[in-house]
Every structure is written in structure tokens, then in C-alpha cells.
């Protein structure tokens, strides 16, 4: 038994794993990070694991999408083998005298990649079966695609090493010492490796050969030949440099055509390419700088940070349509007071009253009810849910929803869904043919994440030098631009227009107004983006002239920078700046304004709707029979309280910050309820609220505290907060409108609009 255990422990594969745990922990962490990610241990709420388990290529999940992920996984695996070989082959001196040493080293170094691959295959089979409802044949094709991609990449690498090693080996055989004498750095590094290999020898009894047969290497342990070690080191170092340059060239090549959807590889493949680069960088720093590797890496990061700060590396992400070459507006407290003065308030209010009168004239009933739509944020999930909810609300109102709606407010994905619904209504009014409901839902549910992650890898992570022209202005391409282009393509190109294109239809009340309100990161105020001038939205609600200004109108602030030329897709993105995914937009001001997702301030848009009603309270009291707020939210307002397991030390340390973030929606709900209650008390016409909510807790009995396992099971059914949805998630979102709470809300809305309460 002892002998058998020793034969396993002192086998080459096991000793390599021990060595990596001891000296190459950074490389091991990358594999652990990969496994944790695909299993949902990291970023589960954002659906990051779905990128690997459900990769899309040209809006399709199948053999070719998994084939590309397999290619990238193979590249990641070979980057690991190459880096380990350069760093560690000299520690196992018997490797240098084996035939085709790199190939045999790689086979024995495959424990970690093999564990990761097996885990990946098992998880994707389970996922495709339970979440994508794929047939056994389709699942088999997915797995075959992954393995074929992996096999092709491994074959390319091994063929390359087979032929290049042979040629370089012959060349080096007669000129090793001569070459080393020419390079003092190489000679010094070689001598260090010789010293390391003599100082500590690893005990290895056996290894796997190319046919996976166990071979003894006990007799090879004492063999030591300086020239052989030098040849192995030199030839494979050269090969690794060629491969590193090849990977970088591939990334730059793909970046040149990043607008081409056929070259936008799956996000999982992009991230694996990034992992490959990280492994190569770790190996390069460890090899050349040894103990100074960490210090040098930190130094390079600080240098890059300074270059961005000094403007030598572009750190701004522009808004398409604005002028960044001319004069920049001064964003100061004095400017805010000027744009929110009594004169601006009066001018904008009078103009808005004309728009409200136009709305009044569009109504059929002599005493109409004003509808306000409030749609919540939540990425692709909110976009699909909002669109489907609006379709059903419009059906209840016999196609009159847009005619009766005064204003649409909200955040992020909800505004994308509402904007798409409104645009299709406008086109239908003009006599154009629009897609069927099922087609609309399919289009808005298409993937938007792959192009973003791909652009992040091939463009934003390096130097952004590629440019595009819009409205005779030149801008740098970034992942925000790619997101807008992909979203526009997914929705049939209907939203690709300037913000000003909606001014006249909104003023004439042919379509409802839409107010986007991203948050200014500089001071937390709102930036109100609308084709109309809305300075009345930013004025203090207390009536105190010294009260804090709540926000500023985009049109007035950036009038000289071409605010009316802002692309409408960019305006939507500014309201949906998903952290780190879609970049925060930088505006032409001094100091530079950067905007964040509107959901940070009010994810449901209720506050903006209430503020609008308060400003024009007298008009609504005199000209309407009441106000109805239809709130479409992608979270349940009164979700059951979830039990907590015993927190870990890290959870205890992060709890104060995590609790604020996790309860941000609850805090906003409390504030919004107070605003609505106050408005009801002061408004002399009825104010009703109807809430449609994406609900994943319906089947849980709330009369008792939910068990942790049951809560976790139900949470798994909730769509991820991402710009990518699985087939199961899409079906779950669409079917959610049929739940009793939502059907009851629709019936109540119908009653309110017909008879009143």
C-alpha cells in the first residue's frame, strides 16, 4: 500500500500540481477562478456563468459557438503549459533529455486543465438540458463542438512545436555557447536556472508518455547535461515569444473588424483569451524579473494610471452627437442656478403647458385620465419584461395606451423596452408595418453582451485608436458604441435617430414624452435628457431659493455643444450605464461630467413622475378626471424576507456595504411610497397606482419564514441582471404576465380607465 501511494504521490503529474501550489499560485488561481465562474460562484446574479454555459455566436447557440469557446479554452490551456514549461522545466532535469520534451511535459501538466474541462462539460450538459430545453442530440453537438475546438487548437500548437523545435534544436546544437556569449542577460538567467536546478531536485518516479503509458524516470534523475538544459530553455523560450505575439496579433486583428458580427466571438471565448494573456504576462514577469515581478507589475499599473490621468491614454467615453472639439461648458454651481432660474422655469413650464393641451386635444373622452408609465431598470431582463407588460397593458386599453400616456420615466433596460414600444407605435400611426408581438419579444431578447465583452478585450483593454464618424464628427470607438450598434441591429434599426427627432411628435402629443434621468457622478444630481426643455424638473421642491438643485436639463446645459444632435441610442445608454460593462459617458464640460445609471437614484422612475405632476398639479386638477401611474417593475415590491445562514468572516466584514447595495431598491420603494402618499393628499383629483411586477416568489407560502434551500431554488428561476438571457429566462419573463398578481393588476387598470374608482 505504501509503495502504491508513493508511486502516485511521486508521479510527475502530481508533483507538478504540488509545485504549482507552492510556486505558481497565481496560475492555479486563474484555473480556480474559471471553475468558480462557470459554476456560478462569482457574478451569479449578473449571469456571468451563462456566458460559458450558453455562448452565442451570431445570435445562435450551438456547435459553432461552442467550437469557438473550445478554441479559446485550448489557447488558454496551451498558454498555461508554455508558461509552466518556461518557468519550471529546469527543475525537472529528466525532461530535457526526453524526446519531444514539451509535448510530454504538457501531458503531465494537464491535471488542472482536465479537472476544469470535465467540470465545464458536466455543467454545460446540465444547463443545456434544464435551462435551454435542448435535446440530447443538440447537447451532444454542443459538447462535440467544444471538444473539437479544443482538439484543433491543441493540434495546431503541438504541430507548431514539433516542427519548430526540431529545426531550432538542430540549429542550437552547434551554437548554444556562442549565442549565450552574445547575450549577457540570457547567460545570467541561464546560470540562475542551473543553480536553482542543482539546489533543489524534485523526487519523481514516473511520468506519462505521448501514448499515456506510465514510464519510469528514476534512472534519468541523475542525468544532468548543461548543453541539453540550455537547448530546451532557449528553443522553447523563442517559441513562446512567437506564440505570445501571435495571440496579441489575433486580438488586434479581431479588433480591426470588431463591428463585424461574424468576427464577434462569444464572450466566453473573449474572456478565455484574456485569461491567456494574463497567464503569459505572469510567466514573463516571473521569468525575467523573478522576485521583482510583483513590484514591476504594480509599477506598470501605476504608470498606466498616470498616463490616463495625464491624458496620454484616452480615458473618456464620448456621447455620440455632441461636439467635443469646441468650447466646453462650465459646470459650476453658478451655471446650475442660471439654468434653473425663474425665467427658465417659466419659459419651459409655459411650453410644457402647450404640450399638455395638445395631449388633452388628442383624447376621445371629454374628461380623460392621464397615464404615467414608470418602468424599472434591470438590463435585458427589464427590457423584455417592460415590452411584454406594455403589450398586455395596451391590449387591455384597446390599443390606446400611447394616446393616453403623458410621460414615460424609468431607468436602464426598462427605458429600452418602453422606447422600442413607443417607436413601433409611432411607425404604426404613420402607416408602416411593424413586427408581430412574438417577433418584437424575440428581437428585444437577443444577446447584447457578447459584443460588449468582445470589444472590451480587443479594443478598450488596449489603446483605443479606431474611429468612426457620426454627423460629420469623429469619435473613438469603444464598447459603448458597439453596444448601441448591436442594440440597434437587434431592434431592426428603428431607434437610430437624433434626440431632436422626437421633439415635434412629443410637442404635438402624437407620442408620449420620454424623460431619461441618468445620475451625474460628480455631485449626485440628475441629468434630465429629453427633446423638450425641462428646467422645472431640477428646481427645488421646497420653494426655498437656497434649496438644493435636484438636477439640470441636458438641452440647456449642452446647447452650444449640440445637445439636439445627441443620438437617441446614446441617450438610452446614458440612462443604462451598467457598471464596468457599458462605460460611463463623459460629457464636454469643465470639470468633466460623467453620468451613471439612472437606477442609482430611482430605479423605478416614480420620483420623476411625481415631480412632473407636482409642477403641473393645477392643470391636471382642471383638465383630467385623475391620474393613473402604471409602474412596471422587474422586482417584487413585497418579497418574502430571506433567512440568513451563518455569515463567514468576509461576509461580516463586507455586510455594511453589501446591505446598503442589496437594499437600495427597498429604500427607493419606501421613499417613492411616501412621495405618492403626499401627492395623493395634495391632488384634488384621484391618483391611482397599478403595479406589474416580475415575480419569482409566487409559489412560496409567505405565512412562515422560507427555508434557505427553497429560497435558493426559487432564486435560481429569476432571470439574471445582465444583457444576456437564456431561453428559460426569456420564457419565464414572458410567462410572468400570466401570474395572478399581474392579471389582477391588469383587470384593476381596465376598471380604473373605464369607470374610475
Amino acid at each position: 500500500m505504501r509503495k502504491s501511494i508513493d508511486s502516485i504521490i511521486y508521479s510527475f503529474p502530481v508533483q507538478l500540481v504540488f509545485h504549482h501550489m507552492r510556486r505558481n499560485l497565481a496560475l492555479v488561481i486563474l484555473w480556480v477562478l474559471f471553475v468558480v465562474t462557470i459554476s456560478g460562484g462569482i457574478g451569479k446574479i449578473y449571469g456571468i456563468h451563462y456566458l460559458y454555459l450558453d455562448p452565442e455566436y451570431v445570435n445562435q447557440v450551438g456547435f459553432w459557438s461552442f467550437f469557438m469557446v473550445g478554441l479559446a479554452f485550448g489557447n488558454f490551456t496551451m498558454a498555461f503549459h508554455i508558461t509552466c514549461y518556461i518557468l519550471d522545466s529546469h527543475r525537472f532535469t529528466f525532461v530535457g533529455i526526453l524526446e519531444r520534451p514539451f509535448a510530454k511535459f504538457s501531458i503531465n501538466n494537464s491535471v488542472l486543465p482536465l479537472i476544469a474541462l470535465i467540470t465545464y462539460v458536466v455543467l454545460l450538459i446540465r444547463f443545456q438540458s434544464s435551462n435551454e430545453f435542448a435535446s440530447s442530440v443538440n447537447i451532444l453537438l454542443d459538447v462535440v463542438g467544444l471538444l473539437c475546438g479544443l482538439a484543433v487548437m491543441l493540434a495546431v500548437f503541438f504541430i507548431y512545436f514539433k516542427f519548430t523545435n526540431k529545426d531550432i534544436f538542430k540549429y542550437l546544437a552547434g551554437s548554444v555557447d556562442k549565442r549565450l556569449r552574445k547575450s549577457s542577460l540570457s547567460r545570467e538567467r541561464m546560470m540562475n536556472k542551473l543553480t536553482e536546478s542543482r539546489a533543489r531536485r524534485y523526487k519523481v518516479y514516473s511520468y506519462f508518455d505521448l501514448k499515456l503509458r506510465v514510464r519510469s524516470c528514476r534512472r534519468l534523475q541523475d542525468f544532468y547535461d548543461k548543453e541539453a538544459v540550455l537547448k530546451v530553455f532557449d528553443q522553447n523560450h523563442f517559441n513562446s515569444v512567437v506564440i505570445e505575439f501571435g495571440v496579441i496579433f489575433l486580438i488586434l486583428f479581431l479588433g480591426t473588424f470588431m463591428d463585424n458580427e461574424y468576427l464577434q466571438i462569444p464572450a466566453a471565448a473573449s474572456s478565455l483569451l484574456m485569461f491567456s494573456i494574463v497567464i503569459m504576462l505572469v510567466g514573463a514577469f516571473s521569468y525575467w524579473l523573478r522576485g521583482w515581478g510583483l513590484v514591476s507589475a504594480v509599477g506598470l499599473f501605476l504608470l498606466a494610471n498616470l498616463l490616463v490621468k495625464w491624458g496620454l491614454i484616452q480615458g473618456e467615453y464620448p456621447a455620440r452627437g455632441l461636439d467635443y472639439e469646441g468650447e466646453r461648458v462650465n459646470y459650476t454651481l453658478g451655471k446650475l442656478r442660471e439654468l434653473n432660474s425663474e425665467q427658465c422655469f417659466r419659459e419651459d413650464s409655459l411650453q410644457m403647458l402647450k404640450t399638455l393641451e395638445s395631449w388633452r386635444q388628442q383624447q376621445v373622452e371629454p374628461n380623460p385620465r392621464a397615464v404615467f408609465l414608470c418602468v424599472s431598470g434591470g438590463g435585458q431582463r427589464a427590457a423584455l419584461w417592460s415590452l411584454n407588460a406594455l403589450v398586455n397593458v395596451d391590449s387591455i386599453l384597446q390599443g390606446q395606451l400611447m394616446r393616453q400616456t403623458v410621460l414615460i420615466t424609468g431607468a436602464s433596460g426598462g427605458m429600452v423596452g418602453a422606447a422600442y414600444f413607443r417607436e413601433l407605435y409611432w411607425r404604426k400611426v404613420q402607416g408602416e408595418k411593424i413586427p408581430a408581438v412574438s417577433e418584437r419579444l424575440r428581437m428585444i431578447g437577443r444577446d447584447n453582451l457578447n459584443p460588449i465583452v468582445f470589444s472590451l478585450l480587443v479594443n478598450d483593454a488596449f489603446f483605443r485608436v479606431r474611429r468612426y464618424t457620426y454627423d460629420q464628427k469623429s469619435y473613438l470607438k469603444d464598447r459603448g458604441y458597439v453596444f448601441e450598434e448591436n442594440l440597434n441591429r437587434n431592434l431592426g434599426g428603428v431607434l437610430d435617430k437624433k434626440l431632436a427627432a422626437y421633439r415635434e411628435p412629443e410637442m404635438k402629443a402624437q407620442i408620449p414624452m420620454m424623460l431619461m434621468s441618468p445620475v451625474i457622478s460628480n455631485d449626485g444630481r440628475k441629468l434630465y435628457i429629453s427633446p423638450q426643455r425641462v428646467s422645472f424638473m431640477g428646481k427645488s421642491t421646497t420653494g426655498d431659493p437656497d434649496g438644493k438643485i435636484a438636477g439640470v436639463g441636458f438641452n440647456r446645459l449642452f446647447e452650444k455643444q449640440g445637445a439636439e444632435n445627441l443620438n437617441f441610442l446614446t441617450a438610452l445608454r446614458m440612462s443604462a450605464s451598467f457598471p464596468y460593462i457599458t462605460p460611463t459617458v463623459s460629457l464636454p464640460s469643465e470639470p468633466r461630467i460623467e453620468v451613471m445609471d439612472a437606477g442609482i437614484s430611482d430605479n423605478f422612475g416614480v420620483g420623476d413622475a411625481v415631480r412632473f405632476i407636482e409642477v403641473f398639479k393645477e392643470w391636471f386638477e382642471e383638465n383630467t378626471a385623475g391620474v393613473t401611474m402604471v409602474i412596471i417593475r422587474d422586482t417584487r415590491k413585497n418579497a418574502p424576507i430571506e433567512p440568513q445562514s451563518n455569515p463567514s468572516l468576509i461576509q461580516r466584514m463586507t455586510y455594511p456595504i453589501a446591505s446598503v447595495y442589496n437594499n437600495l431598491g427597498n429604500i427607493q420603494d419606501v421613499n417613492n411610497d411616501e412621495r405618492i402618499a403626499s401627492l395623493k393628499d395634495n391632488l384634488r383629483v384621484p391618483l391611482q397606482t397599478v403595479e406589474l411586477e416580475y415575480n419569482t416568489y409566487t409559489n412560496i407560502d409567505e405565512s412562515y419564514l422560507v427555508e434557505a434551500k427553497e429560497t435558493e431554488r426559487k432564486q435560481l428561476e429569476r432571470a439574471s441582471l445582465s444583457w444576456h438571457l437564456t431561453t428559460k429566462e426569456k420564457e419565464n419573463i414572458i410567462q410572468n404576465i400570466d401570474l395572478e398578481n399581474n392579471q389582477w393588476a391588469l383587470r384593476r387598470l381596465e376598471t380604473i380607465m373605464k369607470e374610475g374608482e
Side-chain angles (χ1 to χ4, degrees), residues 425-437:
Y425 166 80
W426 178 230
R427 289 174 178 260
K428 184 178 180 180
V429 168
Q430 294 175 306
E432 296 185 26
K433 185 178 180 180
I434 64 173
V437 172

Side-chain angles (χ1 to χ4, degrees), residues 7-43:
S7 65
I8 295 174
I9 292 177
Y10 294 108
S11 63
F12 194 21
V14 174
Q15 286 297 305
L16 280 172
V17 172
F18 289 161
H19 173 75
H20 295 329
M21 296 290 292
R22 180 171 178 264
R23 290 185 174 271
N24 299 327
L25 190 58
L27 302 182
V28 176
I29 289 175
L30 285 175
W31 284 110
V32 173
L33 182 62
F34 172 76
V35 172
V36 171
T37 300
I38 63 176
S39 60
I42 295 178

Side-chain angles (χ1 to χ4, degrees), residues 247-353:
V247 172
I248 294 174
F249 173 79
L250 173 63
I251 291 174
L252 295 177
F253 171 78
L254 292 174
T256 304
F257 303 97
M258 67 180 185
D259 295 335
N260 189 324
E261 64 175 330
Y262 291 99
L263 292 179
Q264 292 175 355
I265 61 178
S270 299
S271 62
L272 286 170
L273 281 179
M274 181 64 75
F275 277 6
S276 301
I277 293 175
V278 171
I279 278 187
M280 292 176 178
L281 289 177
V282 169
F285 275 92
S286 299
Y287 180 80
W288 292 108
L289 302 173
R290 304 183 71 194
W292 291 93
L294 179 60
V295 175
S296 301
V298 173
L300 284 177
F301 174 80
L302 294 177
L303 176 61
N305 181 64
L306 289 175
L307 291 177
V308 172
K309 181 179 179 60
W310 295 337
L312 298 178
I313 296 180
Q314 183 60 252
E316 291 186 351
Y317 294 90
R320 186 159 40 155
L322 294 186
D323 181 10
Y324 287 79
E325 299 299 327
E327 177 186 1
R328 298 203 168 199
V329 63
N330 290 320
Y331 184 66
T332 62
L333 192 57
K335 186 68 173 179
L336 286 174
R337 291 195 181 105
E338 175 189 336
L339 298 180
N340 288 276
S341 65
E342 286 296 331
Q343 180 181 353
C344 293
F345 180 91
R346 185 167 52 255
E347 290 177 358
D348 295 356
S349 298
L350 290 174
Q351 181 58 53
M352 185 54 64
L353 286 172

Side-chain angles (χ1 to χ4, degrees), residues 132-175:
E132 292 298 310
F133 314 116
S135 65
S136 300
V137 174
N138 288 334
I139 294 175
L140 179 61
L141 287 175
D142 294 340
V143 174
V144 170
L146 177 70
L147 298 180
C148 284
L150 172 62
V152 168
M153 183 58 69
L154 294 182
V156 169
F157 272 93
F158 280 117
I159 290 173
Y160 167 78
F161 274 104
K162 177 180 180 180
F163 288 99
T164 55
N165 282 3
K166 180 179 180 181
D167 296 337
I168 295 175
F169 189 95
K170 290 182 178 179
Y171 173 75
L172 290 174
S175 58

